[in-house]
Amino acid sequence: MHYTIRKKILSGYGLIILLLLVVIFWSFNSLYKLGNASNQILKENYKSILAAENMIDAIERQDSGTLLLIMGYSEEGLSQFRQNEGYFLESLGRAKDNITIPGEKDIIQTIDSTYTLYLSACMNLSILQKSANKSPGPYYHENILPLFRDVRNTCIQLRELNHQTMIEASEKARKMATNSMLSVAVIGFITVGLGIFISTFLSGVIVRPVLKLLKATKEIGDGDYDTQLDEISSDELGLLALEYNTMTQKLRKYREMNISQIVAEKQKSEAILQNIDDGIILIDTDSKVTGINRIAMKFLKCDSVDILDRHFLEVIKNDTLFNYIKETNETGAAQKIEDEKSIIKLKHDDSEMYLQFSIIPIHDKSGSILSTVLLLRDVTRLKALDRMKSEFVMAASHELRTPLTSIGMSIGLLQENILGKLNEKEKELLMAANDEVERLKALVNNLLDLSKIEAGKMEIEFDKNAVHLMFEKAISIMGNQADEKKIRLTSEAPEDLPDVKSDSNKITWVLINLISNAIRYTESNGTIHLSARLFGDKLHVSVKDNGAGIPLEYQTKIFDKFVQVKDGKETSGSGLGLSICKEIIKAHGGTIWVESAPGKGSTFTFTLPRM
């Protein structure tokens, strides 16, 4: 007969449950016997003791009534005697109904007969008292008092008999309780011992095959696919062992069939990794370098032996880059890094190298992060070209300023001297030429300022400045333009707002540029509001309008060079204003951003450090 694991468990624990039922039955039986013993004490003894006490009390009160009668208080004494006579007879009746002890019946009969004689003697006393020739005192002492004492002593005897019997019954119940406790304890210990033995035996029967299976599974995990299990049992674990043997055979065949293909794929992946043009570094969740390709080693000018299994900061000493990698490992999400912040500079003995990086997390099927890939792209040449471009633009802008100034002065002289000699068409051409020259001068100035900022050649004079004063200066400059378009220009700066560390002229220029853009895209009767709030150690300065807003496709690139929002209206700007604003705020150690919704206006906000 084959026993399944379920049958084995049910058989073992069924026996334990049966033993527990025996203990429970034995305990209930003992408690039932103790309860009966207690009830027997109350039923057989306590009622008789109570009846004896009541008879003693009643006969004593009757004796008191007899004495009152002798003393001349006939009515009061007779009333007390008759009342307690009823109490005595009632208690005597209860005692007769509860005769349970040997000898108790004879005592009660003695009480009954003696009390009858006592009543007769007391009746004679009443007759004697009506006769004036005899004194009732001697009669009481000779006839009534002895009978009173006999009745009282017999009642006490009845009480003591039941009291002694109750003590013996209580002792018997105590011994019964002690025996019950010992017997329950013995049976309980036996049950616990059998339960432990059965559980140990049953667990051994079940666990031994599992341990064999666990050992074989560990060997499979270590790569030993030749492991086979002998027949370990005839239950479900035996079937599992058979399936395990089948699995190992299939794994061994699969390994033999695919190992060469796996090796080829691995070699192909490594070849691609080593020959890709970008540097690749693999970092595990402990921030240790686990892999690196040839290009990355060339960038770092080191060998893989010097890098593998070392902490990332030992390889590239850049805290900012390490923080990005650490956050990626912790969150499992790719970091959004601005273009200008995604470039690091590596210094070697005779050169500098600029590398643009991107960080990609690698996840398993469950979504848990396995490692992080750091991609490095050499942008040293692009950086040099960008610097050359900025220097060229700066030089070209500087060279263009002089001829443009001369052209502007020439057009101005023409307008002053010969404007009245020209016809309307010639006047329009001259005015258009003047407007174009002014626009070119503004474009050249903007290009020159932007090039200086990018090249780090623009001088910024940091000083202690109050935000509300810069608000007032910007509003006074732009007030006329706002009034012409009937736009309300307001500002708000709390009185307790701390001063900022800034170049007052440069920040005022940023405010003017933002207000100018807001006026351009806000309809008549609109509102432009300037405000400042303190957040930590930074002041947030905002320029808010209720104009047309910025389309979503422009919001991510509004601060790029030469970007202008196309809204169907003719614009005369160069698209460099917001780029210059961004560079100025960046030079102050702050950031600038926009919040906008089409048709609901825009809010441009930038941060400045407090003093």
Side-chain angles (χ1 to χ4, degrees):
M1 181 177 181
H2 297 289
Y3 286 96
T4 63
I5 295 177
R6 183 180 181 185
K7 288 182 179 179
K8 291 177 181 178
I9 294 174
L10 290 177
S11 300
Y13 286 103
L15 183 56
I16 294 175
I17 292 171
L18 180 62
L19 293 173
L20 289 175
L21 290 175
V22 171
V23 173
I24 293 171
F25 174 76
W26 189 271
S27 300
F28 274 120
N29 183 52
S30 300
L31 290 174
Y32 177 75
K33 289 180 179 179
L34 285 174
N36 282 343
S38 300
N39 291 333
Q40 197 70 18
I41 291 172
L42 293 174
K43 181 178 178 182
E44 295 180 357
N45 305 117
Y46 183 71
K47 291 180 179 180
S48 296
I49 291 173
L50 186 61
E53 289 286 350
N54 289 335
M55 286 190 289
I56 292 170
D57 184 65
I59 194 68
E60 288 176 348
R61 290 181 179 275
Q62 280 184 293
D63 185 63
S64 298
T66 303
L67 293 174
L68 288 173
L69 189 66
I70 293 173
M71 293 171 62
Y73 299 97
S74 302
E75 185 177 349
E76 184 178 350
L78 187 59
S79 174
Q80 182 173 331
F81 185 88
R82 292 300 181 191
Q83 184 179 4
N84 284 281
E85 180 184 354
Y87 290 155
F88 187 93
L89 293 175
E90 182 181 354
S91 299
L92 181 60
R94 290 178 181 175
K96 290 180 179 179
D97 294 336
N98 195 46
I99 298 173
T100 57
I101 305 172
E104 188 176 13
K105 182 177 180 181
D106 296 337
I107 294 173
I108 292 174
Q109 287 178 354
T110 302
I111 293 172
D112 190 8
S113 60
T114 307
Y115 185 70
T116 302
L117 295 175
Y118 174 76
L119 290 177
S120 299
C122 290
M123 187 64 69
N124 292 333
L125 176 64
S126 177
I127 296 172
L128 181 63
Q129 192 178 19
K130 293 178 181 180
S131 174
N133 297 326
K134 293 184 179 181
S135 174
Y139 179 82
Y140 169 80
H141 191 269
E142 295 174 359
N143 296 287
I144 296 176
L145 183 60
L147 291 173
F148 161 74
R149 290 175 178 172
D150 290 342
V151 173
R152 185 176 179 277
N153 291 335
T154 310
C155 290
I156 292 173
Q157 184 182 356
L158 176 64
R159 184 187 66 185
E160 292 301 322
L161 177 63
N162 280 277
H163 184 264
Q164 184 62 33
T165 304
M166 187 171 67
I167 291 174
E168 294 174 356
S170 177
E171 182 65 21
K172 181 180 178 182
R174 187 187 66 79
K175 291 181 179 179
M176 185 182 298
T178 302
N179 293 333
S180 298
M181 289 174 60
L182 289 174
S183 61
V184 170
V186 171
I187 295 176
F189 279 121
I190 293 174
T191 302
V192 170
L194 289 175
I196 293 173
F197 173 76
I198 293 171
S199 299
T200 304
F201 176 76
L202 186 61
S203 62
V205 170
I206 296 174
V207 169
R208 274 193 297 272
V210 175
L211 292 176
K212 291 182 180 179
L213 188 60
L214 180 63
K215 181 181 178 183
T217 304
K218 187 177 183 300
E219 292 175 355
I220 285 288
D222 294 336
D224 185 5
Y225 293 97
D226 296 324
T227 302
Q228 290 289 306
L229 286 174
D230 299 330
E231 185 177 349
I232 55 178
S233 63
S234 59
D235 51 22
E236 291 90 340
L237 291 174
L239 297 176
L240 181 60
L242 293 175
E243 294 297 327
Y244 176 86
N245 291 334
T246 303
M247 179 193 70
T248 55
Q249 293 174 2
K250 291 181 178 179
L251 284 174
R252 186 167 58 252
K253 292 180 181 179
Y254 180 79
R255 182 191 60 175
E256 293 172 353
M257 291 173 57
N258 294 281
I259 190 168
S260 57
Q261 182 179 354
I262 293 172
V263 170
E265 291 294 330
K266 185 175 183 297
Q267 291 174 347
K268 187 188 298 182
S269 300
E270 289 180 351
I272 294 172
L273 186 66
Q274 293 298 329
N275 290 282
I276 198 169
D277 291 337
D278 295 333
I280 297 176
I281 300 177
L282 298 178
I283 304 103
D284 63 11
T285 53
D286 294 327
S287 301
K288 290 185 178 181
V289 177
T290 58
I292 186 169
N293 71 344
R294 177 179 53 81
I295 300 298
M297 288 188 287
K298 179 181 177 182
F299 290 162
L300 301 177
K301 292 190 175 181
C302 61
D303 191 82
S304 61
V305 178
D306 302 327
I307 291 178
L308 294 180
D309 294 328
R310 292 177 62 187
H311 195 276
F312 178 80
L313 281 176
E314 297 181 50
V315 178
I316 301 179
K317 296 177 176 61
N318 188 298
D319 292 333
T320 303
L321 180 56
F322 173 69
N323 289 333
Y324 285 132
I325 293 173
K326 183 179 179 182
E327 189 172 353
T328 302
N329 279 333
E330 291 174 352
T331 62
Q335 302 298 310
K336 294 182 179 179
I337 307 171
E338 298 180 9
D339 290 341
E340 61 270 15
K341 293 182 179 180
S342 66
I343 296 177
I344 61 172
K345 180 171 69 173
L346 296 181
K347 289 185 177 181
H348 298 298
D349 295 335
D350 53 351
S351 63
E352 291 182 350
M353 178 177 289
Y354 292 89
L355 300 176
Q356 187 175 37
F357 65 87
S358 57
I359 302 169
I360 304 170
I362 306 298
H363 302 89
D364 58 15
K365 292 182 179 180
S366 64
S368 300
I369 188 167
L370 295 174
S371 61
T372 301
V373 177
L374 175 63
L375 295 178
L376 299 173
R377 182 176 293 108
D378 186 4
V379 293
T380 305
R381 185 169 176 273
L382 295 176
K383 196 77 174 175
L385 288 174
D386 188 61
R387 184 177 65 254
M388 292 172 62
K389 178 202 69 177
S390 298
E391 291 176 353
F392 171 77
V393 171
M394 184 169 57
S397 300
H398 184 73
E399 293 297 326
L400 285 172
R401 291 179 71 177
T402 301
L404 284 174
T405 302
S406 299
I407 294 171
M409 291 175 62
S410 300
I411 294 175
L413 290 173
L414 289 174
Q415 287 178 329
E416 291 177 2
N417 297 324
I418 64 172
L419 191 62
K421 302 177 182 180
L422 301 177
N423 56 35
E424 292 299 322
K425 184 66 174 176
E426 292 171 339
K427 291 180 180 179
E428 290 178 2
L429 290 174
L430 190 58
M431 294 295 292
N434 185 62
D435 292 341
E436 290 299 322
V437 168
E438 292 299 325
R439 190 174 69 84
L440 282 173
K441 287 170 65 177
L443 176 60
V444 168
N445 287 332
N446 288 338
L447 283 172
L448 188 58
D449 290 341
L450 184 60
S451 299
K452 286 182 179 180
I453 295 173
E454 289 179 343
K457 296 182 178 180
M458 174 171 278
E459 295 182 0
I460 297 181
E461 299 177 358
F462 289 101
D463 200 357
K464 178 180 179 182
N465 296 296
V467 174
H468 71 90
L469 295 178
M470 291 187 285
F471 281 177
E472 292 174 2
K473 185 176 180 180
I475 290 175
S476 66
I477 295 173
M478 301 303 298
N480 291 334
Q481 291 187 28
D483 292 339
E484 289 177 2
K485 206 171 179 180
K486 297 180 180 180
I487 293 175
R488 191 160 62 97
L489 192 55
T490 62
S491 66
E492 175 189 3
E495 294 181 358
D496 59 346
L497 203 65
D499 294 335
V500 294
K501 181 182 179 182
S502 65
D503 185 325
S504 176
N505 292 329
K506 298 294 188 299
I507 298 302
T508 302
W509 189 93
V510 171
L511 290 172
I512 291 172
N513 191 276
L514 295 177
I515 294 172
S516 176
N517 288 341
I519 292 174
R520 185 183 305 165
Y521 293 102
T522 302
E523 300 294 335
S524 298
N525 301 316
T527 300
I528 299 173
H529 182 65
L530 281 66
S531 63
R533 293 287 185 274
L534 179 64
F535 290 91
D537 60 347
K538 297 280 188 180
L539 264 72
H540 287 212
V541 181
S542 299
V543 178
K544 181 179 181 181
D545 64 68
N546 58 354
I550 301 173
L552 295 176
E553 63 270 19
Y554 284 98
Q555 291 183 19
T556 57
K557 54 185 178 180
I558 192 71
F559 294 100
D560 294 343
K561 301 173 187 176
F562 305 108
V563 174
Q564 290 181 303
V565 177
K566 306 297 182 182
D567 58 352
K569 298 181 180 179
E570 183 179 354
T571 58
S572 58
S574 61
L576 293 173
L578 290 178
S579 297
I580 297 174
C581 291
K582 178 183 176 182
E583 295 298 332
I584 291 175
I585 298 301
K586 182 180 175 182
H588 280 75
T591 56
I592 186 170
W593 67 91
V594 64
E595 299 174 22
S596 180
K600 296 183 179 181
S602 305
T603 301
F604 284 85
T605 304
F606 60 88
T607 62
L608 293 173
R610 62 180 292 178
M611 287 296 295

